[in-house]
mmCIF file of all heavy atoms in Angstrom:
data_model
loop_
_atom_site.group_PDB
_atom_site.id
_atom_site.type_symbol
_atom_site.label_atom_id
_atom_site.label_comp_id
_atom_site.label_asym_id
_atom_site.label_seq_id
_atom_site.Cartn_x
_atom_site.Cartn_y
_atom_site.Cartn_z
ATOM 1 N N ARG A 295 3.263 -1.284 -8.876
ATOM 2 C CA ARG A 295 2.943 -0.628 -10.146
ATOM 3 C C ARG A 295 3.193 -1.586 -11.305
ATOM 4 O O ARG A 295 3.863 -2.598 -11.173
ATOM 5 C CB ARG A 295 3.792 0.633 -10.335
ATOM 6 C CG ARG A 295 3.534 1.733 -9.304
ATOM 7 C CD ARG A 295 2.124 2.290 -9.398
ATOM 8 N NE ARG A 295 1.773 2.751 -10.727
ATOM 9 C CZ ARG A 295 2.078 3.958 -11.221
ATOM 10 N NH1 ARG A 295 2.735 4.838 -10.473
ATOM 11 N NH2 ARG A 295 1.693 4.298 -12.438
ATOM 12 N N TRP A 296 2.662 -1.209 -12.442
ATOM 13 C CA TRP A 296 2.881 -1.930 -13.693
ATOM 14 C C TRP A 296 2.629 -3.434 -13.541
ATOM 15 O O TRP A 296 3.461 -4.257 -13.881
ATOM 16 C CB TRP A 296 4.286 -1.670 -14.235
ATOM 17 C CG TRP A 296 4.498 -0.239 -14.643
ATOM 18 C CD1 TRP A 296 5.157 0.729 -13.952
ATOM 19 C CD2 TRP A 296 4.019 0.382 -15.840
ATOM 20 N NE1 TRP A 296 5.118 1.924 -14.625
ATOM 21 C CE2 TRP A 296 4.424 1.739 -15.799
ATOM 22 C CE3 TRP A 296 3.281 -0.068 -16.946
ATOM 23 C CZ2 TRP A 296 4.110 2.649 -16.803
ATOM 24 C CZ3 TRP A 296 2.981 0.838 -17.958
ATOM 25 C CH2 TRP A 296 3.388 2.167 -17.885
ATOM 26 N N GLY A 297 1.450 -3.736 -12.994
ATOM 27 C CA GLY A 297 1.046 -5.136 -12.904
ATOM 28 C C GLY A 297 1.927 -5.975 -12.010
ATOM 29 O O GLY A 297 2.023 -7.189 -12.188
ATOM 30 N N GLY A 298 2.590 -5.322 -11.025
ATOM 31 C CA GLY A 298 3.423 -6.069 -10.097
ATOM 32 C C GLY A 298 4.861 -6.217 -10.534
ATOM 33 O O GLY A 298 5.656 -6.873 -9.863
ATOM 34 N N SER A 299 5.240 -5.587 -11.662
ATOM 35 C CA SER A 299 6.605 -5.732 -12.167
ATOM 36 C C SER A 299 7.591 -4.806 -11.473
ATOM 37 O O SER A 299 8.799 -4.981 -11.605
ATOM 38 C CB SER A 299 6.645 -5.488 -13.678
ATOM 39 O OG SER A 299 6.216 -4.166 -13.994
ATOM 40 N N LEU A 300 7.099 -3.807 -10.740
ATOM 41 C CA LEU A 300 8.007 -2.925 -10.015
ATOM 42 C C LEU A 300 7.311 -2.345 -8.790
ATOM 43 O O LEU A 300 6.091 -2.349 -8.676
ATOM 44 C CB LEU A 300 8.536 -1.801 -10.917
ATOM 45 C CG LEU A 300 7.545 -0.809 -11.540
ATOM 46 C CD1 LEU A 300 7.215 0.328 -10.573
ATOM 47 C CD2 LEU A 300 8.124 -0.227 -12.809
ATOM 48 N N LEU A 301 8.136 -1.847 -7.864
ATOM 49 C CA LEU A 301 7.649 -1.154 -6.684
ATOM 50 C C LEU A 301 8.034 0.316 -6.804
ATOM 51 O O LEU A 301 9.172 0.633 -7.155
ATOM 52 C CB LEU A 301 8.238 -1.747 -5.405
ATOM 53 C CG LEU A 301 7.845 -3.185 -5.073
ATOM 54 C CD1 LEU A 301 8.620 -3.665 -3.846
ATOM 55 C CD2 LEU A 301 6.351 -3.294 -4.825
ATOM 56 N N GLU A 302 7.104 1.181 -6.495
ATOM 57 C CA GLU A 302 7.330 2.623 -6.593
ATOM 58 C C GLU A 302 7.279 3.238 -5.194
ATOM 59 O O GLU A 302 6.355 2.971 -4.430
ATOM 60 C CB GLU A 302 6.253 3.262 -7.465
ATOM 61 C CG GLU A 302 6.308 4.790 -7.509
ATOM 62 C CD GLU A 302 5.088 5.380 -8.171
ATOM 63 O OE1 GLU A 302 4.032 5.443 -7.505
ATOM 64 O OE2 GLU A 302 5.184 5.754 -9.348
ATOM 65 N N GLU A 303 8.269 4.051 -4.868
ATOM 66 C CA GLU A 303 8.233 4.811 -3.623
ATOM 67 C C GLU A 303 7.733 6.216 -3.944
ATOM 68 O O GLU A 303 8.249 6.872 -4.852
ATOM 69 C CB GLU A 303 9.620 4.877 -2.983
ATOM 70 C CG GLU A 303 9.618 5.536 -1.618
ATOM 71 C CD GLU A 303 10.966 5.488 -0.946
ATOM 72 O OE1 GLU A 303 11.315 4.427 -0.389
ATOM 73 O OE2 GLU A 303 11.673 6.520 -0.985
ATOM 74 N N ALA A 304 6.725 6.653 -3.238
ATOM 75 C CA ALA A 304 6.101 7.944 -3.537
ATOM 76 C C ALA A 304 5.763 8.679 -2.256
ATOM 77 O O ALA A 304 5.667 8.084 -1.174
ATOM 78 C CB ALA A 304 4.837 7.733 -4.377
ATOM 79 N N LEU A 305 5.585 9.987 -2.379
ATOM 80 C CA LEU A 305 5.149 10.819 -1.260
ATOM 81 C C LEU A 305 3.637 10.971 -1.336
ATOM 82 O O LEU A 305 3.090 11.240 -2.408
ATOM 83 C CB LEU A 305 5.830 12.189 -1.316
ATOM 84 C CG LEU A 305 7.359 12.175 -1.228
ATOM 85 C CD1 LEU A 305 7.897 13.601 -1.334
ATOM 86 C CD2 LEU A 305 7.827 11.519 0.063
ATOM 87 N N LEU A 306 2.980 10.798 -0.208
ATOM 88 C CA LEU A 306 1.522 10.902 -0.142
ATOM 89 C C LEU A 306 1.156 12.068 0.777
ATOM 90 O O LEU A 306 1.467 12.058 1.969
ATOM 91 C CB LEU A 306 0.903 9.601 0.369
ATOM 92 C CG LEU A 306 -0.621 9.584 0.519
ATOM 93 C CD1 LEU A 306 -1.298 9.859 -0.822
ATOM 94 C CD2 LEU A 306 -1.095 8.252 1.088
ATOM 95 N N HIS A 307 0.522 13.067 0.195
ATOM 96 C CA HIS A 307 0.086 14.228 0.949
ATOM 97 C C HIS A 307 -1.373 14.040 1.372
ATOM 98 O O HIS A 307 -2.046 13.119 0.945
ATOM 99 C CB HIS A 307 0.214 15.491 0.085
ATOM 100 C CG HIS A 307 1.618 15.768 -0.361
ATOM 101 N ND1 HIS A 307 2.430 16.685 0.252
ATOM 102 C CD2 HIS A 307 2.351 15.227 -1.376
ATOM 103 C CE1 HIS A 307 3.598 16.715 -0.359
ATOM 104 N NE2 HIS A 307 3.578 15.846 -1.353
ATOM 105 N N GLY A 308 -1.865 14.966 2.170
ATOM 106 C CA GLY A 308 -3.280 14.986 2.498
ATOM 107 C C GLY A 308 -3.568 14.659 3.941
ATOM 108 O O GLY A 308 -2.743 14.087 4.657
ATOM 109 N N SER A 309 -4.733 15.042 4.362
ATOM 110 C CA SER A 309 -5.219 14.737 5.708
ATOM 111 C C SER A 309 -6.731 14.545 5.614
ATOM 112 O O SER A 309 -7.466 15.491 5.293
ATOM 113 C CB SER A 309 -4.886 15.875 6.678
ATOM 114 O OG SER A 309 -5.359 15.572 7.968
ATOM 115 N N PRO A 310 -7.197 13.327 5.833
ATOM 116 C CA PRO A 310 -6.411 12.149 6.212
ATOM 117 C C PRO A 310 -5.673 11.551 5.023
ATOM 118 O O PRO A 310 -6.005 11.830 3.868
ATOM 119 C CB PRO A 310 -7.479 11.172 6.715
ATOM 120 C CG PRO A 310 -8.676 11.514 5.868
ATOM 121 C CD PRO A 310 -8.637 13.007 5.716
ATOM 122 N N LEU A 311 -4.665 10.713 5.314
ATOM 123 C CA LEU A 311 -4.038 9.919 4.275
ATOM 124 C C LEU A 311 -5.049 8.879 3.810
ATOM 125 O O LEU A 311 -5.768 8.298 4.630
ATOM 126 C CB LEU A 311 -2.788 9.222 4.815
ATOM 127 C CG LEU A 311 -1.664 10.116 5.347
ATOM 128 C CD1 LEU A 311 -0.593 9.259 6.012
ATOM 129 C CD2 LEU A 311 -1.080 10.969 4.236
ATOM 130 N N ILE A 312 -5.124 8.644 2.502
ATOM 131 C CA ILE A 312 -6.079 7.676 1.957
ATOM 132 C C ILE A 312 -5.311 6.687 1.084
ATOM 133 O O ILE A 312 -4.628 7.093 0.134
ATOM 134 C CB ILE A 312 -7.176 8.376 1.134
ATOM 135 C CG1 ILE A 312 -7.907 9.419 1.993
ATOM 136 C CG2 ILE A 312 -8.171 7.354 0.588
ATOM 137 C CD1 ILE A 312 -8.909 10.250 1.213
ATOM 138 N N LEU A 313 -5.424 5.399 1.388
ATOM 139 C CA LEU A 313 -4.689 4.402 0.617
ATOM 140 C C LEU A 313 -5.354 3.040 0.720
ATOM 141 O O LEU A 313 -6.127 2.782 1.643
ATOM 142 C CB LEU A 313 -3.249 4.289 1.105
ATOM 143 C CG LEU A 313 -3.026 3.778 2.537
ATOM 144 C CD1 LEU A 313 -1.830 2.838 2.586
ATOM 145 C CD2 LEU A 313 -2.806 4.953 3.488
ATOM 146 N N THR A 314 -5.043 2.184 -0.244
ATOM 147 C CA THR A 314 -5.465 0.787 -0.184
ATOM 148 C C THR A 314 -4.221 -0.097 -0.120
ATOM 149 O O THR A 314 -3.136 0.292 -0.551
ATOM 150 C CB THR A 314 -6.328 0.378 -1.396
ATOM 151 O OG1 THR A 314 -5.574 0.553 -2.608
ATOM 152 C CG2 THR A 314 -7.597 1.202 -1.452
ATOM 153 N N VAL A 315 -4.407 -1.296 0.416
ATOM 154 C CA VAL A 315 -3.309 -2.235 0.619
ATOM 155 C C VAL A 315 -3.302 -3.245 -0.519
ATOM 156 O O VAL A 315 -4.339 -3.860 -0.824
ATOM 157 C CB VAL A 315 -3.456 -2.962 1.971
ATOM 158 C CG1 VAL A 315 -2.312 -3.955 2.177
ATOM 159 C CG2 VAL A 315 -3.495 -1.949 3.112
ATOM 160 N N ALA A 316 -2.153 -3.441 -1.142
ATOM 161 C CA ALA A 316 -2.039 -4.396 -2.243
ATOM 162 C C ALA A 316 -2.412 -5.797 -1.767
ATOM 163 O O ALA A 316 -2.025 -6.203 -0.662
ATOM 164 C CB ALA A 316 -0.617 -4.389 -2.795
ATOM 165 N N PRO A 317 -3.178 -6.539 -2.574
ATOM 166 C CA PRO A 317 -3.543 -7.901 -2.176
ATOM 167 C C PRO A 317 -2.318 -8.742 -1.849
ATOM 168 O O PRO A 317 -1.336 -8.748 -2.602
ATOM 169 C CB PRO A 317 -4.286 -8.440 -3.405
ATOM 170 C CG PRO A 317 -4.843 -7.217 -4.060
ATOM 171 C CD PRO A 317 -3.801 -6.158 -3.854
ATOM 172 N N HIS A 318 -2.360 -9.403 -0.702
ATOM 173 C CA HIS A 318 -1.330 -10.332 -0.242
ATOM 174 C C HIS A 318 0.016 -9.656 0.048
ATOM 175 O O HIS A 318 1.054 -10.320 0.093
ATOM 176 C CB HIS A 318 -1.144 -11.481 -1.252
ATOM 177 C CG HIS A 318 -2.440 -12.120 -1.658
ATOM 178 N ND1 HIS A 318 -3.244 -12.788 -0.749
ATOM 179 C CD2 HIS A 318 -3.105 -12.151 -2.850
ATOM 180 C CE1 HIS A 318 -4.333 -13.231 -1.376
ATOM 181 N NE2 HIS A 318 -4.278 -12.846 -2.631
ATOM 182 N N ALA A 319 -0.015 -8.331 0.239
ATOM 183 C CA ALA A 319 1.210 -7.634 0.659
ATOM 184 C C ALA A 319 1.585 -8.040 2.074
ATOM 185 O O ALA A 319 2.760 -8.069 2.439
ATOM 186 C CB ALA A 319 1.017 -6.125 0.573
ATOM 187 N N VAL A 320 0.590 -8.343 2.881
ATOM 188 C CA VAL A 320 0.794 -8.865 4.232
ATOM 189 C C VAL A 320 -0.156 -10.044 4.415
ATOM 190 O O VAL A 320 -1.182 -10.135 3.730
ATOM 191 C CB VAL A 320 0.520 -7.806 5.324
ATOM 192 C CG1 VAL A 320 1.481 -6.640 5.218
ATOM 193 C CG2 VAL A 320 -0.919 -7.312 5.249
ATOM 194 N N ALA A 321 0.196 -10.933 5.315
ATOM 195 C CA ALA A 321 -0.701 -12.046 5.632
ATOM 196 C C ALA A 321 -1.736 -11.579 6.649
ATOM 197 O O ALA A 321 -1.429 -10.782 7.540
ATOM 198 C CB ALA A 321 0.095 -13.221 6.187
ATOM 199 N N ALA A 322 -2.953 -12.039 6.494
ATOM 200 C CA ALA A 322 -4.004 -11.713 7.461
ATOM 201 C C ALA A 322 -3.711 -12.436 8.766
ATOM 202 O O ALA A 322 -3.668 -13.665 8.810
ATOM 203 C CB ALA A 322 -5.366 -12.132 6.917
ATOM 204 N N GLU A 323 -3.477 -11.679 9.820
ATOM 205 C CA GLU A 323 -3.106 -12.268 11.102
ATOM 206 C C GLU A 323 -4.069 -11.823 12.185
ATOM 207 O O GLU A 323 -4.111 -10.651 12.557
ATOM 208 C CB GLU A 323 -1.677 -11.865 11.484
ATOM 209 C CG GLU A 323 -0.611 -12.427 10.547
ATOM 210 C CD GLU A 323 0.787 -12.047 10.973
ATOM 211 O OE1 GLU A 323 0.915 -11.295 11.962
ATOM 212 O OE2 GLU A 323 1.741 -12.489 10.316
ATOM 213 N N GLY A 324 -4.878 -12.759 12.665
ATOM 214 C CA GLY A 324 -5.752 -12.491 13.788
ATOM 215 C C GLY A 324 -5.001 -12.736 15.076
ATOM 216 O O GLY A 324 -3.775 -12.691 15.122
ATOM 217 N N GLY A 325 -5.740 -12.979 16.127
ATOM 218 C CA GLY A 325 -5.104 -13.308 17.392
ATOM 219 C C GLY A 325 -4.909 -12.133 18.326
ATOM 220 O O GLY A 325 -4.292 -12.279 19.374
ATOM 221 N N ALA A 326 -5.434 -10.952 17.930
ATOM 222 C CA ALA A 326 -5.306 -9.803 18.826
ATOM 223 C C ALA A 326 -6.095 -10.027 20.116
ATOM 224 O O ALA A 326 -5.776 -9.483 21.168
ATOM 225 C CB ALA A 326 -5.779 -8.524 18.131
ATOM 226 N N GLY A 327 -7.161 -10.843 19.994
ATOM 227 C CA GLY A 327 -7.921 -11.233 21.180
ATOM 228 C C GLY A 327 -8.777 -10.154 21.793
ATOM 229 O O GLY A 327 -9.279 -10.316 22.899
ATOM 230 N N ALA A 328 -8.979 -9.068 21.092
ATOM 231 C CA ALA A 328 -9.751 -7.950 21.658
ATOM 232 C C ALA A 328 -11.222 -8.080 21.293
ATOM 233 O O ALA A 328 -11.585 -8.701 20.300
ATOM 234 C CB ALA A 328 -9.207 -6.626 21.153
#
């Protein structure tokens, strides 16, 4: 939140859950080999 200056913990309701992943929150890792 706030341009990356803080992290917010929140409750997400709904079915299905709908969300997007913050850029570079995780590294793109291939290698599953499937």
